[in-house]
Amino acid sequence: MSQTIATPPTVRLDSDVIGKPINRTDGPAKVSGAAKYAAEFGVTGPLWYGYIVSSPVAKGKITKIHADEVLAIPGVQQVFSHENVSSFAWFDRAYKDDVAPGGSPFRPLHEPEIMFNQQPVALVVAETFELARYAASVLRIEYDVEKHNTDLDSVIGEAFDAPKGKTGFVPPPKPKGDMNKAFAEAPHKVAGEYIHRAQHHNPMEMFATTVDWLGDGKKMKIYDKTQGAPNVQQYIAKIFGLSTDEARVISKFTGGGFGSGLRPQYQVFLAVMAALELEHSVRVVMTRTQMFSFGHRPHTLQKLRIASDDQGHIQALEHKALAETSQFENATETVVNWTGILYNSPNTNFDYQLSKIDVYTPLDMRAPGAATGNFASESAIDEMSYKAGKDPLDFRLLNYTYSDPTENKPFTSKRLDDCYHEGAARFGWDQRNPEPRSMRDEKGMLVGWGVAAGCWDASMQKAAAKAVLSADGHLTVNSATNDQGAGTYVIMTQMAAQTLGLPMQQVTFNLGDTNMPAAPVQGGSWTANSVGAAVKDACQEVGKKLLKLAQKMDDSPLAGVNFEDAQFVDGHIRANEDITRSVAIEDILAASGEDKIEADGKAGPNPINQLKYSMHSHNAVFVEVKVDEDLGTIHVTRVVNAVAAGRIMNPKTARSQVLGGTVWGLSMAMMEETYLNNELGRYMNHNYAEYHIPVNADIHKIDVIFVEEEDDIASPIGVKGVGEIGMLGVAAAIANAVYHATGKRVRELPLTSDKLL
Amino acid sequence: MNSFTLTQATAADEAVRDLTSHDGAAYLGGGTNLVDLMKYNLERPTHLTSLGLLPLTDISSLPDGGLRLGALATNADTAWHPEVEKRYPLLSQTILAGATPQLRNVATNGGNLNQRTRCYYFYDLATPCNKREPGTGCSALTGPNRVCGVLGTSESCIATQPSDMCVALAALEAVVRVQGPDGERTIKFDDYHRLPGDHPEKDNTLKPGELVTAIDLPEEGYADHFTYLKLRDRSSYAFALVSVAVGLKMNGNTIEKARFALGGVAHKPWRDQEAEKMLEGQTASPDLFRQVAAKVFAEAKGYGEGSLHNSFKIELGKRAIVRALKQATEMSQVVNPNVFLNSNP
Ligand SMILES: Cc1cc2nc3c(=O)[nH]c(=O)nc-3n(C[C@H](O)[C@H](O)[C@H](O)COP(=O)(O)OP(=O)(O)OC[C@H]3O[C@@H](n4cnc5c(N)ncnc54)[C@H](O)[C@@H]3O)c2cc1C
Ligand code: SF4
């Protein structure tokens, strides 16, 4: 076996998988039901069920909980409330998770005060779910009700500048020039106010936690619905004073998150608290109604002013936003900055403020902040193009910027211009009649074509991974990251397979377990980039060890070859210079006598590059709408979404991300809105029947174009991420198309039929 | 959810006896509405009389030329029944505009008539609602009320009856057959659902223990001139903001007979017989349709402005009537305008 024979290169390279449209490795498990979600795991021994009781009032104080009546019901184990839940942590900072905003986090069952409607006020634990639900329904709780205020309009006067303090939040750019003067003097100008109200994430999977009480001290397996097991672990460990060994958090599959699972939700606190107090396995699942009881995309009011000269060059640009936050935390999003990144203007002014109302703290929701700001600014830019007498696409190209005006830095890469050109060609933009109300279809419906651009961060976080190559040649890579449906399982498998030149079937990627190397929460479009780079690093370290072992083999053909000069292809290590100098990995493993070769990998942002460059993904969205003017109905009949987001690791899963983002953008534009009743201080359409999102029949042709960018500065693996970018531009492009069709500018979302009557 | 007992009745009289012999009992049809309401803890029956085995699933011709729809026939079987499709296409289309295939496969005709309102507050125990708990007040009067009505409302309740099917049954002048402790009787469709008045807790005129056994359709089905126009917030799986069911008999361009009803605007499918008369004997024209629409909404009352409140339904309702009458006279576009049949592949 020690003799190594040089193998000729094969034609088909099974290991050349990056950039290929490969099916999800977790697909079969998902469609066959084998994939387990948080509320589906079995436990050792019997399981008890906790049912959450929610406050019916928005503000006040609990005066009495008639727990005794409920405890008398056979099978009810305990009623937890502020009356009997011991104070776990002295300081509220123990409740701060990795992505918490500034302020004092909500502490469930900590005190009798009610700070928001549907606040969890008790947990009823019983032997069956049905019994817990019944017992919760008859639990009498008395309140001293106080006057609440959930009306953002009434507290505009109390707005304050959004404070720093949350990961990822960038305060508004500094003003430039003299905005007021430039605006006053410019020949063409627009000013508008834009509104959208609260929107809730509503992933299909309800928030749920199953705590498996292992009967060994305080050891637990905590199966949680989250976008980041490590974030949940540190939250739980800090509050309850547990070790990471005691609080192992597992999240193998996440049935959608969209940001709702970035922060640990209160059901995980309640389930762990109950398990610790009762020393028993417990499961807690929220109801759909309770899915409307925590974070949401904040109700935001925006004002824009833009002015241009006669040639159409922007001379003045102002974007101001005011968003709601809770009484106890300052939820911040980056809302107005994107406008300044996309367009250059000698005179600018940006402003972002918050006002407090009696609701739960808003929470990042897909393309947080950007989706909000983008709708307003791309609507205003569009309006400006008409005022300046320019085609909306030409106007954007005319004001195109090759460096980031807010930070005076070059972009690492920016092919938005190619997105415009390729998208316009695919859409047929040159056939557009610029005149509003000028186009109709064969049935007489008004037709409108609109365009908008989008911009998102290409960011990187610290992440780690571990790779283990076993003697049988199977490679297993682990990282405690998450897959909320994005395709993390498959692209990380691709990354590992490509790096070590192994076929996909020989590689397994595992995630979602705090026993694995740490990874950040899945959000911000940074997973592919950050975890991908860590996986690559771990596999390269294994590769280096393999090369060393190969060189120890008798008469090794790879003698003297540096790692940088070797390639890992099709199960072999070869010398770049002469690929006939090759050794099969299985032979190396056999010769080494090792039962496994393992290595850790890590990745993180490059601070020097971050100082020097601005790193962003971009897109251009083209939309056709047809409008039945008498009835106000709008159909989005065609969308072309052209995306420049660095290297695309898997065009199939990336396209799915952009399709999903496009549908979400349409949903935001046309349907989504949580109805807040200010008298009751309560969201009212808290179910899938009345909180509308699109159905299949609402979605027509969507074309996705990837304009690839070579960018090794934004990321060591050239990846910028596609989780959010696909959503941007869509809502504005739809509103712009509606204007082109009807001549009506709608500045309030969603574009329900009543707004066109 | 509270515990309950359940009996499977096999005959109508047995079902009535079973129900009346239990306190707090309810009939269970397909369960697509009742079971939801039980899970929400809004309805708390202690006993269910299941109707699933009743021999009331037939759809059969009547001697007077009409058609009888069994109360236990599913919405899907009714919509796709060849006689219904041929003679009462309005009913067929209307049923198919509602809910989803899965729900229609299970939902029964009797259950459809008796489904409860979708008013947000009715569904939320934390809020005052006169229909759910008489005397607590009506949260919808001032709060978000996009789902609520603008015609025939009262200060006690502005809820709507949410069914699509019932809108067609009103226009078709169906008759509901019921059986109760005192025997059988028939109820004209117009008299079946009621306006809220001071008793919004009562949706209809059924007496205690009465069971719907069938719905009878008269001979006239308006198969040559009909339309169901349903306007809603998305293309399917949404209740009507406003809907209009129209059946016309035409002679050339002259309307000989006109029947129409509206959904999504009132506590019952809304018919206006005077407005129908305005159409009869007249030449179809947009002007006439506009006058008719104005008449229907002359007494309408909106409850607040903006898209969360329902005043827009008055203008939208008028436009819907005009469009629906146009569609029915011309038989031009008998598709749900929300469902855009795209010519692009
Ligand atoms: C998500 C969702 C979306 C929907 N969308 C629509 C829509 O767009 N349009 C629409 O029209 N409908 C819609 N529906 C409602 C659906 O049509 C009704 O739920 C269904 O028709 C009820 O029929 P059922 O047999 O399941 O009734 P059940 O739930 O069994 O009963 C409903 C009520 O009727 C009573 N009842 C049942 N049968 C009889 C009888 N024979 N005699 C007397 N009383 C009886 C019951 O006691 C109960 O009070 C929707 C429902 C859901 C859940
Ligand atoms: S409209 Fe009727 S159902 Fe709605 S809250 Fe008022 S009383 Fe209740």
Side-chain angles (χ1 to χ4, degrees):
Chain A
M1 242 348 251
S2 66
Q3 187 49 42
T4 322
I5 298 156
T7 38
T10 44
V11 180
R12 208 173 74 84
L13 298 180
D14 283 346
S15 61
D16 190 15
V17 288
I18 289 191
K20 302 275 162 64
I22 293 173
N23 287 343
R24 290 166 189 265
T25 45
D26 52 327
K30 279 187 174 165
V31 296
S32 65
K36 279 198 180 167
Y37 294 81
E40 298 177 335
F41 284 91
V43 296
T44 29
L47 177 64
W48 289 343
Y49 296 80
Y51 196 89
I52 303 163
V53 182
S54 308
S55 164
V57 301
K59 195 172 176 189
K61 199 173 170 179
I62 302 169
T63 51
K64 177 111 189 84
I65 299 191
H66 298 268
D68 43 337
E69 297 168 3
V70 165
L71 287 166
I73 303 170
V76 172
Q77 293 298 335
Q78 185 55 289
V79 176
F80 291 106
S81 71
H82 70 279
E83 289 183 349
N84 60 355
V85 169
S86 36
S87 195
F88 292 100
W90 278 102
F91 299 107
D92 67 350
R93 66 168 177 267
Y95 289 76
K96 271 207 184 264
D97 63 275
D98 278 354
V99 286
S104 174
F106 170 61
R107 289 179 281 178
L109 310 191
H110 191 264
E111 58 240 325
E113 278 75 25
I114 303 297
M115 297 187 290
F116 57 94
N117 215 317
Q118 281 214 66
Q119 177 174 323
V121 289
L123 183 78
V124 179
V125 181
E127 285 164 15
T128 67
F129 168 74
E130 286 74 15
L131 184 61
R133 178 169 62 176
Y134 168 74
S137 77
V138 295
L139 177 63
R140 290 193 300 129
I141 302 180
E142 293 170 32
Y143 299 87
D144 242 352
V145 181
E146 286 167 40
K147 200 165 160 30
H148 61 257
N149 185 6
T150 55
D151 181 5
L152 181 61
D153 290 339
S154 72
V155 290
I156 291 176
E158 293 159 31
F160 55 95
D161 286 342
K164 287 191 201 169
K166 180 174 161 254
T167 321
F169 170 61
V170 187
K174 303 244 164 341
K176 278 195 283 193
D178 187 338
M179 173 67 206
N180 286 335
K181 182 162 176 283
F183 188 79
E185 290 172 0
H188 310 290
K189 51 192 114 185
V190 294
E193 298 191 12
Y194 301 80
I195 301 173
H196 73 74
R197 297 187 186 80
Q199 300 165 7
H200 280 77
H201 307 71
N202 273 301
M204 195 78 112
E205 184 197 10
M206 247 66 92
F207 276 87
T209 306
T210 302
V211 180
D212 185 359
W213 183 259
L214 299 172
D216 171 11
K218 289 182 178 175
K219 269 196 175 178
M220 289 172 274
K221 274 198 223 166
I222 303 165
Y223 299 100
D224 190 38
K225 185 228 165 86
T226 172
Q227 285 170 240
N231 189 27
V232 173
Q233 183 185 48
Q234 66 87 20
Y235 172 83
I236 290 298
K238 270 196 302 183
I239 295 174
F240 297 105
L242 299 170
S243 69
T244 51
D245 193 37
E246 287 166 329
R248 176 177 171 195
V249 179
I250 299 169
S251 172
K252 290 285 164 198
F253 292 95
T254 301
F258 319 114
S260 62
L262 290 172
R263 301 186 68 185
Q265 292 309 347
Y266 57 77
Q267 95 290 342
V268 69
F269 170 92
L270 295 173
V272 171
M273 177 274 298
L276 282 166
E277 295 276 303
L278 301 171
E279 304 195 339
H280 201 279
S281 295
V282 175
R283 171 174 300 156
V284 179
V285 184
M286 284 192 197
T287 62
R288 178 60 62 190
T289 309
Q290 287 164 346
M291 293 291 283
F292 289 78
S293 66
F294 52 92
H296 50 274
R297 195 191 295 284
H299 180 179
T300 309
L301 314 168
Q302 299 181 71
K303 287 185 185 174
L304 269 116
R305 288 194 298 161
I306 311 180
S308 85
D309 61 19
D310 282 326
Q311 288 74 46
H313 294 283
I314 298 174
Q315 296 304 316
L317 180 62
E318 180 177 73
H319 191 170
K320 296 176 165 185
L322 167 65
E324 55 158 315
T325 191
S326 65
Q327 299 290 357
F328 47 96
E329 283 172 315
N330 293 320
T332 47
E333 298 180 319
T334 307
V335 175
V336 297
N337 311 42
W338 316 96
T339 316
I341 296 172
L342 273 174
Y343 302 101
N344 200 358
S345 167
N347 304 286
T348 62
N349 187 32
F350 299 97
D351 188 31
Y352 172 59
Q353 296 193 307
L354 302 178
S355 276
K356 288 181 175 292
I357 51 174
D358 295 313
V359 293
Y360 192 86
T361 311
L363 177 60
D364 285 351
M365 175 157 142
R366 204 166 190 174
T372 299
N374 181 270
F375 160 68
S377 63
E378 283 298 295
S379 296
I381 287 285
D382 203 73
E383 201 169 343
M384 189 66 240
S385 73
Y386 287 90
K387 283 275 164 67
K390 296 277 174 199
D391 171 275
L393 179 58
D394 292 345
F395 184 80
R396 286 173 170 84
L397 284 164
L398 189 67
N399 288 287
Y400 196 83
T401 161
Y402 291 91
S403 61
D404 176 352
T406 64
E407 300 195 336
N408 286 321
K409 291 178 194 171
F411 292 110
T412 53
S413 56
K414 177 182 174 184
R415 289 189 64 196
L416 174 60
D417 45 355
D418 291 317
C419 292
Y420 283 136
H421 296 309
E422 289 187 33
R426 180 78 63 88
F427 188 83
W429 186 259
D430 58 346
Q431 301 297 307
R432 181 176 182 270
N433 184 332
E435 203 50 43
R437 304 186 59 85
S438 62
M439 289 165 57
R440 286 186 187 265
D441 74 355
E442 62 286 356
K443 292 193 200 114
M445 290 247 250
L446 285 167
V447 175
W449 289 1
V451 63
C455 173
W456 184 252
D457 291 325
S459 64
M460 193 161 193
Q461 306 284 324
K462 275 192 194 155
K466 184 184 189 79
V468 181
L469 183 64
S470 57
D472 63 2
H474 196 90
L475 175 67
T476 305
V477 184
N478 293 341
S479 172
T481 181
N482 172 264
D483 189 344
Q484 50 175 324
T488 314
Y489 274 108
V490 64
I491 62 169
M492 295 308 153
T493 311
Q494 286 172 266
M495 178 53 87
Q498 177 96 32
T499 308
L500 280 181
L502 296 171
M504 290 282 286
Q505 315 81 270
Q506 241 166 283
V507 181
T508 304
F509 178 73
N510 298 310
L511 53 72
D513 186 334
T514 51
N515 281 358
M516 297 173 180
V521 291
Q522 182 163 64
S525 294
W526 57 55
T527 300
N529 188 359
S530 315
V531 180
V535 166
K536 182 172 181 175
D537 188 48
C539 293
Q540 280 185 334
E541 291 306 312
V542 168
K544 286 177 190 163
K545 291 185 181 176
L546 275 175
L547 180 60
K548 280 214 182 95
L549 291 170
Q551 290 169 337
K552 283 192 193 142
M553 292 165 74
D554 295 341
D555 304 322
S556 175
L558 296 173
V561 175
N562 289 327
F563 180 73
E564 290 69 35
D565 301 325
Q567 49 182 258
F568 288 73
V569 173
D570 234 11
H572 290 73
I573 310 181
R574 303 176 188 153
N576 283 343
E577 278 189 353
D578 174 3
I579 58 171
T580 62
R581 289 173 63 191
S582 162
V583 188
I585 290 176
E586 58 186 36
D587 294 339
I588 304 172
L589 287 166
S592 73
E594 307 268 354
D595 62 349
K596 63 180 180 203
I597 297 168
E598 55 184 39
D600 294 320
K602 60 181 189 329
N606 177 327
I608 297 169
N609 285 346
Q610 283 191 319
L611 276 178
K612 282 189 1 204
Y613 297 99
S614 176
M615 305 178 187
H616 289 94
S617 54
H618 292 88
N619 72 334
V621 182
F622 297 82
V623 162
E624 175 183 85
V625 299
K626 296 193 174 179
V627 180
D628 186 327
E629 207 179 15
D630 288 343
L631 304 176
T633 47
I634 303 167
H635 307 280
V636 179
T637 48
R638 263 187 326 132
V639 182
V640 174
N641 198 336
V643 176
R647 169 180 292 153
I648 300 305
M649 291 187 66
N650 181 332
K652 189 168 188 174
T653 52
R655 178 172 175 273
S656 293
Q657 282 288 294
V658 176
L659 288 178
T662 307
V663 172
W664 197 308
L666 184 151
S667 187
M668 175 182 185
M670 319 247 315
M671 296 175 197
E672 287 192 52
E673 175 161 32
T674 325
Y675 305 162
L676 181 56
N677 181 316
N678 285 323
E679 282 163 53
L680 301 168
R682 192 168 169 95
Y683 295 112
M684 289 315 307
N685 53 338
H686 41 54
N687 54 57
Y688 272 163
E690 298 302 334
Y691 183 91
H692 296 125
I693 55 172
V695 294
N696 281 322
D698 294 308
I699 304 302
H700 300 283
K701 202 169 168 17
I702 303 175
D703 237 330
V704 177
I705 298 173
F706 288 113
V707 174
E708 288 218 42
E709 295 166 323
E710 298 243 343
D711 190 337
D712 294 330
I713 310 172
S715 147
I717 57 171
V719 168
K720 287 181 175 175
V722 290
E724 346 274 315
I725 188 69
M727 173 178 183
L728 295 168
V730 179
I734 291 173
N736 296 342
V738 167
Y739 171 75
H740 182 232
T742 64
K744 272 199 186 131
R745 204 38 93 178
V746 184
R747 299 188 184 85
E748 180 181 334
L749 294 183
L751 282 159
T752 44
S753 54
D754 49 278
K755 302 198 178 73
L756 287 184
L757 291 184
Chain B
M1 201 152 159
N2 299 263
S3 19
F4 57 88
T5 52
L6 181 140
T7 313
Q8 292 264 12
T10 51
D13 50 353
E14 183 197 337
V16 173
R17 270 200 309 278
D18 182 66
L19 184 109
T20 44
S21 63
H22 290 87
D23 280 341
Y27 291 125
L28 178 70
T32 61
N33 190 217
L34 182 58
V35 176
D36 273 8
L37 294 168
M38 289 166 69
K39 287 183 181 169
Y40 272 104
N41 202 27
L42 304 178
E43 305 233 16
R44 304 172 191 115
T46 49
H47 179 78
L48 292 179
T49 305
S50 169
L51 309 177
L53 299 180
L54 294 195
L56 297 173
T57 55
D58 276 1
I59 292 176
S60 52
S61 294
L62 292 168
D64 67 356
L67 195 69
R68 174 161 297 172
L69 314 173
L72 269 298
T74 67
N75 287 176
D77 285 345
T78 307
W80 297 113
H81 192 277
E83 285 295 302
V84 177
E85 281 193 292
K86 192 171 100 211
R87 294 171 51 197
Y88 306 94
L90 170 60
L91 178 63
S92 191
Q93 277 205 357
T94 306
I95 294 173
L96 296 177
T100 64
Q102 294 90 330
L103 285 159
R104 297 192 299 262
N105 283 341
V106 178
T108 64
N109 291 338
N112 195 313
L113 260 52
N114 293 300
Q115 61 174 294
R116 313 230 42 202
T117 186
R118 309 302 292 206
C119 176
Y120 322 119
Y121 310 96
F122 178 73
Y123 264 86
D124 188 338
L125 279 171
T127 66
C129 167
N130 285 328
K131 187 182 269 302
R132 184 167 29 78
E133 279 174 69
T136 54
C138 171
S139 302
L141 283 177
T142 50
N145 54 26
R146 193 174 166 85
V147 280
C148 292
V150 293
L151 287 166
T153 52
S154 76
E155 289 300 299
S156 320
C157 179
I158 61 172
T160 59
Q161 207 281 342
S163 164
D164 290 297
M165 181 185 185
C166 290
V167 185
L169 293 175
L172 290 168
E173 300 183 291
V175 171
V176 184
R177 302 189 68 85
V178 304
Q179 185 168 341
D182 304 329
E184 292 190 61
R185 67 178 182 120
T186 58
I187 308 172
K188 286 202 289 185
F189 207 82
D190 280 344
D191 299 333
Y192 186 81
H193 296 102
R194 53 186 297 286
L195 291 180
D198 292 335
H199 287 285
E201 70 280 7
K202 270 188 78 57
D203 293 349
N204 56 43
T205 54
L206 282 182
K207 293 184 193 146
E210 277 185 333
L211 171 79
V212 176
T213 55
I215 300 157
D216 287 351
L217 300 175
E219 186 175 12
E220 180 56 66
Y222 308 98
D224 293 331
H225 289 280
F226 68 92
T227 204
Y228 186 60
L229 177 69
K230 179 176 179 181
L231 301 174
R232 46 181 150 174
D233 281 329
R234 63 179 161 195
S235 299
S236 88
Y237 198 34
F239 291 90
L241 290 168
V242 173
S243 71
V244 189
V246 181
L248 302 175
K249 274 186 61 140
M250 306 277 299
N251 184 356
N253 207 22
T254 305
I255 300 169
E256 290 192 330
K257 188 174 177 190
R259 294 290 180 268
F260 69 89
L262 275 70
V265 292
H267 202 255
K268 60 188 290 189
W270 189 260
R271 254 187 87 194
D272 185 328
Q273 300 195 25
E274 286 172 37
E276 289 171 354
K277 285 213 184 70
M278 286 169 69
L279 289 161
E280 293 181 347
Q282 303 296 314
T283 307
S285 77
D287 267 351
L288 175 65
F289 298 161
R290 277 195 286 272
Q291 287 162 23
V292 168
K295 157 73 184 77
V296 172
F297 283 94
E299 315 256 291
K301 177 166 165 38
Y303 293 84
E305 301 302 319
S307 59
L308 269 52
H309 293 88
N310 72 1
S311 293
F312 73 89
K313 285 189 176 182
I314 297 173
E315 179 60 25
L316 188 64
K318 288 184 198 168
R319 294 181 185 207
I321 291 176
V322 173
R323 174 66 64 86
L325 288 169
K326 179 174 187 289
Q327 283 182 190
T329 43
E330 296 171 1
M331 285 304 275
S332 49
Q333 190 205 9
V334 189
V335 292
N336 169 5
N338 265 111
V339 179
F340 187 80
L341 302 171
N342 200 347
S343 43
N344 298 314

